[in-house]
Amino acid sequence: GTSAGGKIFDPTKLPCDTYADDGGPCVAAHSTVRLLLSTYTGPLYQVRKGGSKSGTGGATTDIGVVAGGFADGPAQDTFCGTDACTISTIYDQSGRGNDLTVAPAGGAKTTPDYEANAKSLPVTIGGHQVYGEHNPVGVGYRNNASSGTATGDNAETIYMIISGDYSNGGCCFDYGNAETNSRDNGEGTMEAVYFGTCTIWNKGGGSGPWIMGDLENGLWAGNTTPYEANTSVPTTWKYVTGMVKGDSVGKNHWAIKVGNAQSGSLTKSFDGQRPSSRYNPMRKEGAILLGTGGDNSNGAQGNFFEGLMTAHYSSDAADDAVQANIVSVYGQ
């Protein structure tokens, strides 16, 4: 295990269990692939058959968990058959009810987004046939009425696992904390993990893609640009762990970590102060988004497999144990 202040973390534990042991339990946990919290007994996601891609009509069914904690991919196949099928809900495993459904209209994209095609991303993980959330341009999920997520300058830890070879330069393939009104409310009103090659605001080293923090009106690879130490993620990595962490009130401190979700440990790509006084203190609002920017800008693409949020600045030792657990699953 890995230790912090004498505490030993068990890498065989699920990510939300490890973060709870670290003093910061998950306040949101989403995956179409697997359990993230051992005590969660509900379904992982819901699919819609024969409805509109904007999230109405048709019939729905919940996709649960099979032995070993993986999603019941074959149950989706049985329900959907040859019909068009979308992912209508990604359930929150934290117990707080922070489910993700299709994103509503926002300031940039003034109509709602589309649900993901449930059949577009079949993968075999840990010997189980499951589905990721395939998020091309136009798809997005959101919860603007979430519970327990970080607000203001309070601490949080967020990670997502995505495909290394599916991204673009559009805005913005994010997972994390956003505005509750789907509008751009200014610098510091977001704190989300971003993956892609967008250079409108800032960039990391090389030509990308990068894991960056979307802090609103800025995708930041660090606190200056280009932030060379935040190097391009190899597109040969099938699965990527991207993490953004905001420290507790008044500390003016945040960090980015990146890892290959199939092998090795996390790299601290950035660890330092906020980019400017416009981001200190932060003004997080606590909504949860997936696949779009804070104002519902939906020009980006990505593939999402799992992600979680806490309201705590996790220890490095806990992060290391979580990454070890991720590798034990995605590296099989």
Side-chain angles (χ1 to χ4, degrees), residues 8-299:
I8 304 293
F9 294 100
D10 179 355
T12 66
K13 286 192 173 183
L14 297 181
C16 287
D17 296 329
T18 291
Y19 282 138
D21 290 346
D22 192 46
C26 289
V27 295
H30 303 103
S31 180
T32 58
V33 168
R34 65 164 182 152
L35 277 180
L36 298 174
L37 176 70
S38 62
T39 54
Y40 178 71
T41 57
L44 296 186
Y45 64 105
Q46 181 190 80
V47 289
R48 181 191 309 275
K49 175 174 69 174
S52 75
K53 61 183 181 178
S54 55
T56 58
T60 58
T61 196
D62 287 342
I63 304 300
V65 176
V66 297
F70 289 88
D72 190 352
Q76 174 183 311
D77 296 339
T78 299
F79 175 76
C80 293
T82 57
D83 294 328
C85 235
T86 57
I87 296 172
S88 42
T89 305
I90 305 175
Y91 291 110
D92 171 27
Q93 301 179 32
S94 77
R96 290 185 172 270
N98 289 325
D99 303 338
L100 291 173
T101 54
V102 69
K109 165 76 163 43
T110 56
T111 52
D113 295 334
Y114 296 137
E115 295 177 347
N117 182 338
K119 300 179 179 182
S120 289
L121 191 56
V123 290
T124 302
I125 295 174
H128 293 266
Q129 186 240 312
V130 294
Y131 290 91
E133 186 264 334
H134 177 58
N135 203 110
V137 173
V139 169
Y141 293 84
R142 197 164 183 134
N143 185 328
N144 281 342
S146 58
S147 161
T149 50
T151 56
D153 200 31
N154 287 301
E156 69 181 346
T157 298
I158 310 167
Y159 82 73
M160 68 176 178
I161 296 179
I162 68 269
S163 293
D165 66 351
Y166 186 67
S167 65
N168 69 4
C171 177
C172 291
F173 185 70
D174 290 346
Y175 171 76
N177 195 318
E179 300 93 336
T180 53
N181 62 357
S182 299
R183 300 292 191 273
D184 178 351
N185 293 338
E187 288 89 334
T189 57
M190 288 184 68
E191 189 168 67
V193 190
Y194 164 84
F195 181 65
T197 56
C198 184
T199 57
I200 295 169
W201 296 277
N202 309 283
K203 65 190 294 290
S207 57
W210 307 279
I211 295 291
M212 296 196 279
D214 189 342
L215 309 182
E216 192 53 279
N217 295 339
L219 294 171
W220 291 92
N223 53 8
T224 56
T225 188
Y227 195 82
E228 299 287 353
N230 188 340
T231 55
S232 301
V233 173
T235 54
T236 53
W237 289 4
K238 186 174 183 180
Y239 304 110
V240 178
T241 308
M243 184 179 290
V244 169
K245 304 168 63 170
D247 213 339
S248 47
V249 174
K251 289 196 173 176
N252 189 26
H253 174 237
W254 68 296
I256 300 172
K257 293 184 178 185
V258 182
N260 181 340
Q262 293 192 299
S263 66
S265 53
L266 294 171
T267 298
K268 202 173 278 185
S269 300
F270 171 76
D271 186 3
Q273 293 189 339
R274 296 288 180 180
S276 75
S277 60
R278 291 177 176 269
Y279 298 97
N280 181 37
M282 292 288 284
R283 298 181 290 126
K284 299 170 221 183
E285 297 189 21
I288 305 168
L289 85 175
L290 169 60
T292 71
D295 60 2
N296 199 34
S297 302
N298 69 348

